[in-house]
Amino acid sequence: MIENVAWIAEPTLFGNVIDAFIEKAASETAVAYLGPLFIWIGVFLVNSGVGAIRRSVDPKIFLGIFTEIATDVAKSGKEHGYSVSKTAARAELSREFITFAQYRVPEIIEQSISIGGAVFALMFFDWRIALSCLFIVLPLLVITQLYNKKVIGLQKDLHDAREEAYEVFSTKDPDKVHAYYSTQTRAELKIANWGAFNFGAMRIFLLLIFLVVLYIAIDLDKFSTGNIYSIVAYLWTFVTSSEYLPELMESWTSLKDISRRLRTESV
């Protein structure tokens, strides 16, 4: 959160640096530009330093957690008399919990701060710009609900197939192996197609918002060069952060099915 709050503050601070340098170049009198410059450098170093520490500490935590989860799944599989294939597959599927916690949860926090922070920052430039960005919320909700409804069943089919991998290979029959992976491929292609639809529809709405915001910023308001830079940076942050949503939703739907399997196993 510290890392991403600093990231959100950077465009405004760097825009101030640009304006300070432009004013210094255009004026014969001394202009205080070192203050904005050092403030921006300080925030940049906070962002970079915290990011570096997080990337070093995270693996130490989450790899240990995965070891414990996989061990518990193995114990439960033995108690319930599950096949080796099913138990091993569920232990490996549980890795998605670690992947989600280590990568997706920080990404959700990051994108939430980026989207909300960008809209909040844009309000200080022109409330119409922030309002234009908020209009994407309703289409996003509709697209997300449709995506979840279609993909959750496909994720279940994929996980069902993975639980049978050992039995398939134990037959030593190339035709069965081919059929096994062909079934998985069809499910993965359908998921990819829904992801592409989700991404494409979202990009269309984002393009419309981008054009509206640029029109307001350039034609309706008399912003300085630094302000225009800040607005475009925040708008770009909003757009790129929104693009992560389909990928995050795919991970979330996969995790829901895995969670259902492990809860059933623990009953």
Side-chain angles (χ1 to χ4, degrees):
M1 291 182 68
I2 294 172
E3 181 183 353
N4 286 284
V5 168
W7 172 261
I8 282 295
E10 280 190 42
T12 294
L13 298 176
F14 193 71
N16 293 338
V17 173
I18 292 174
D19 283 340
F21 273 92
I22 291 175
E23 187 177 351
K24 177 181 179 297
S27 175
E28 296 180 358
T29 60
V31 178
Y33 64 91
L34 291 179
L37 178 61
F38 285 135
I39 291 173
W40 169 70
I41 290 175
V43 172
F44 182 88
L45 292 176
V46 169
N47 179 8
S48 304
V50 174
I53 293 172
R54 177 176 62 81
R55 286 164 175 78
S56 174
V57 171
D58 278 1
K60 298 176 184 178
I61 298 172
F62 291 107
L63 290 176
I65 295 174
F66 172 65
T67 300
E68 295 298 324
I69 292 177
T71 302
D72 289 342
V73 171
K75 291 179 180 177
S76 182
K78 181 179 179 180
E79 292 172 359
H80 288 79
Y82 291 147
S83 66
V84 174
S85 176
K86 187 173 184 177
T87 302
R90 290 194 172 185
E92 192 60 30
L93 285 173
S94 69
R95 185 185 293 273
E96 292 197 28
F97 281 98
I98 304 306
T99 300
F100 193 86
Q102 183 174 358
Y103 299 107
R104 298 309 187 193
V105 170
E107 284 179 2
I108 290 171
I109 295 172
E110 177 183 349
Q111 306 318 323
S112 298
I113 293 175
S114 296
I115 293 173
V119 173
F120 181 75
L122 288 170
M123 287 179 61
F124 290 94
F125 294 98
D126 191 317
W127 65 270
R128 293 170 296 185
I129 296 176
L131 186 62
S132 299
C133 292
L134 288 176
F135 275 127
I136 198 175
V137 173
L138 183 59
L140 282 180
L141 291 176
V142 174
I143 294 172
T144 298
Q145 289 298 321
L146 178 61
Y147 181 83
N148 278 337
K149 182 179 179 181
K150 297 295 183 179
V151 171
I152 187 66
L154 296 172
Q155 291 286 5
K156 179 181 180 302
D157 293 340
L158 275 179
H159 297 155
D160 286 342
R162 289 180 187 176
E163 290 184 354
E164 304 300 326
Y166 181 84
E167 278 80 3
V168 171
F169 277 90
S170 66
T171 64
K172 299 181 181 181
D173 186 341
D175 292 333
K176 290 185 177 180
V177 173
H178 182 272
Y180 169 78
Y181 281 108
S182 295
T183 300
Q184 288 201 68
T185 298
R186 285 193 293 271
E188 289 175 350
L189 287 176
K190 289 179 180 178
I191 292 173
N193 289 336
W194 277 107
F197 168 78
N198 196 358
F199 177 81
M202 188 180 303
R203 290 284 292 185
I204 291 174
F205 286 109
L206 289 172
L207 173 61
L208 295 175
I209 289 174
F210 207 115
L211 294 175
V212 170
V213 171
L214 287 179
Y215 171 73
I216 295 172
I218 296 174
D219 284 359
L220 300 184
D221 292 316
K222 296 180 180 180
F223 287 124
S224 66
T225 303
N227 284 342
I228 291 177
Y229 163 81
S230 299
I231 290 171
V232 172
Y234 281 125
L235 183 58
W236 198 252
T237 297
F238 179 83
V239 170
T240 53
S241 296
S242 299
E243 289 175 354
Y244 274 95
L245 293 176
E247 186 177 349
L248 293 175
M249 289 309 306
E250 181 175 339
S251 296
W252 176 243
T253 53
S254 176
L255 200 67
K256 284 197 296 185
D257 180 67
I258 296 172
S259 179
R260 178 190 60 78
R261 291 167 190 268
L262 297 183
R263 283 201 307 270
T264 300
E265 184 179 88
S266 64
V267 173

